[in-house]
Amino acid sequence: MVSSGTTGTAETDAPSARIRLRSWLLEDVTAEKPAQPTAAEGGPEASPEGPAAGDSAGHGAQAGQRWWRVMCLTGLDYFSTLGYQPGIAALAAGVLSPIATIVLVVVTLLGALPVYRRVAKESPHGEGSIAMLERLLSFWKGKLFVLALLGFAATDFLITITLSAADASAHLVENPHLTGFLGGKQVVITLVLVALLGAVFLKGFSEAIGLAVFLVGTYLVLNVVVVAVGLWKIIEAPHVVTDWSHALTLQHGNPIVMVGVALVTFPKLALGLSGFETGVAVMPHIKGDPTDTEADPAGRIRGTRKLLTTSAVIMSCFLIATSFITTLLIPADQFKPGGDANGRALAFLAHEYLGGAFGSVYDLSTIAILWFAGASAMAGMLNLLPRYLPRYGMAPHWARAVRPMVIVLTLIGFLVTWIFDANVDAQGGAYATGVLVLISSAAIAVTIAAYRKRERGWTVAFAVISAIFLYTTVLNVLERPDGLKIGACFIAGIILVSLLSRLRRAFELRVTNVAMDDVAERFIRDYAHRPLRLIANEPSHRDVAEYRDKIRQIRADNDIPGEDDLVFVEVTVRDASDFEAELTVRGEVLHGRYRVLTLESSSIPNALAALALNIRDRTGQQPHLYFEWTEGSPFAQFLRFFLFGQGEVAPVTREVLREAEPDRSRRPRVHVG
């Protein structure tokens, strides 16, 4: 008896535990939409904001954080590149590193910054440049193009997480006080850091901006100290400047050649451009003005522009100063793999000139900001991916929730870390490719936007910037094709998973709301006390003969009495690649006697099912739908439905109704003659 009771308790607790786990995982979705009605009942369309937008998205454009605090969130990614950028520049350009860095700064301030200030204006809800390009293409080619860009965005953001964690573990392992204890354990440490980042987001991210402010502030102050000491050492030993200038002249001859070589070297320094796409992706976190609306968030746009400009100016100053002091003060062989300054040039200077204690504090700060740099990338993905994939039907409903997405992205981070063996240099090519493709696409998007608004000056300027970034992207891909290969793997993975998800969700209702005009409402009210019989008709000439013959055929095939009224339903497919949309129903009387309901949708069966359920809920009567069989292969007809929203309409409509309404006694009737 005791055993039986224990088993019963366990069986009772198991479903309860699953329910609690599900509620915890989907907490942010259920909190935002506690009791959404079905589409047939007129449920509202999903919020355009991503799940990670938090308070800033959920309570109007004026909610959120001050721009400088959000700048620290994006700065986690942007400023943390100081941990490895000077070393990358020294390896790529040698003694030319400061000049190559100046080229990078010029491209940043005169290229990337104006582009993303324009993106912030054109796409103020966090969709970024991808949304601007999405408007240019329709049908499946538009969706596939967006999926490809999302693949590069995933490459950028995910590699940010894994590369930053790997670099943080490298700083930890190579610390003189810890190298004996942690040596050879970089992969394990990186996996732990990625897991800790995921744990932060599972716990909740509303307080993380405060942590970001502390980490960025501390890191920048420590870098100011290192830069100041480095410059003082150069002043104390002016011969290093003379030696450097002599080496420059010896290797490159004259300033024109130096600039030319710097331009060729520039693509290798592209990691210094990271952070701009993240800056616009987290726009929903920025507090706007009290007068802001979601349609016109002027304050949020202004705050984002301040964020982008301030962070770019700060980073530019640090990039020039750090490349100068590291090139002059660190021997060239120390930058190479195995050298003490490889991937940690500023940390090398901190230990060399400020002692082990300060150096360890600097290492700790660098480790912390590099680890948490993945937070800005994670926030970017959590804001970006749910804006597109669920709307395309290419992700499950839970993809709108933060915690399930965090778990998925963390697991992918584990896989990437394992594949690359937590090697920073091996991931640099993929990171640079993702960054450059996104910046190039943003430059092209704003060029097109300026051209459409007939802003000739801006059109020319943005076109030149686009050409520069396209040149940089092509050179980077040619020199490091592994980056493109990795990006292609992300793209292939996203497309494959997206199409499988779309296939799995093909029979969903897919209608967010049903709205009827006055004529359609009157048609429906006439059938409040008797069943409504709807004839699914594919319109052709819409003349008297078409409707007369159709009624005659349907009555004969289904043995419908002559006294029963029949109403035609005609669905026009506009863009079959769309997934969720509002259904607008218009009523009209043709030729003085035939009542017709016209609909526009991405799928005929899903629209008919949504209409039938809506009529049932309005009238309390179960409508009847009448179809003809379609000739052709069932498999070919299903492909027509999946790709073009048509195909064999009758059985698919019945399947959509079956999934939407499990109770057969309440399900609208489907008849096929």
Side-chain angles (χ1 to χ4, degrees), residues 111-123 128-133 135-136 277 280 305 438-466 469:
L113 180 58
V115 164
Y116 278 96
R117 283 174 61 90
R118 182 64 177 255
V119 171
K121 178 183 177 182
E122 299 284 344
S123 182
S129 58
I130 296 176
M132 298 173 64
L133 293 171
R135 303 170 196 145
L136 302 177
E277 192 72 28
V280 293
R305 287 180 159 185
L438 290 179
I439 293 181
S440 298
S441 64
I444 293 171
V446 297
T447 302
I448 295 172
Y451 174 77
R452 288 186 167 183
K453 294 183 178 180
R454 299 182 179 180
E455 300 171 350
R456 185 173 180 179
W458 280 115
T459 301
V460 173
F462 287 137
V464 172
I465 294 171
S466 300
F469 283 123

Side-chain angles (χ1 to χ4, degrees), residues 586-605:
R586 297 179 178 84
E588 55 183 324
V589 178
L590 297 182
H591 311 297
R593 56 185 298 188
Y594 300 112
R595 286 186 285 187
V596 182
L597 296 175
T598 60
L599 298 73
E600 290 185 1
S601 177
S602 60
S603 170
I604 294 174

Side-chain angles (χ1 to χ4, degrees), residues 79-91:
F79 299 141
S80 68
T81 57
L82 288 172
Y84 47 82
Q85 180 69 17
I88 291 174
L91 279 176

Side-chain angles (χ1 to χ4, degrees), residues 222 226 229 344-363:
L222 291 175
V226 173
V229 170
R344 55 190 305 274
L346 293 177
F348 177 90
L349 292 180
H351 282 276
E352 182 75 14
Y353 295 118
L354 292 163
F358 183 90
S360 294
V361 171
Y362 185 87
D363 278 340

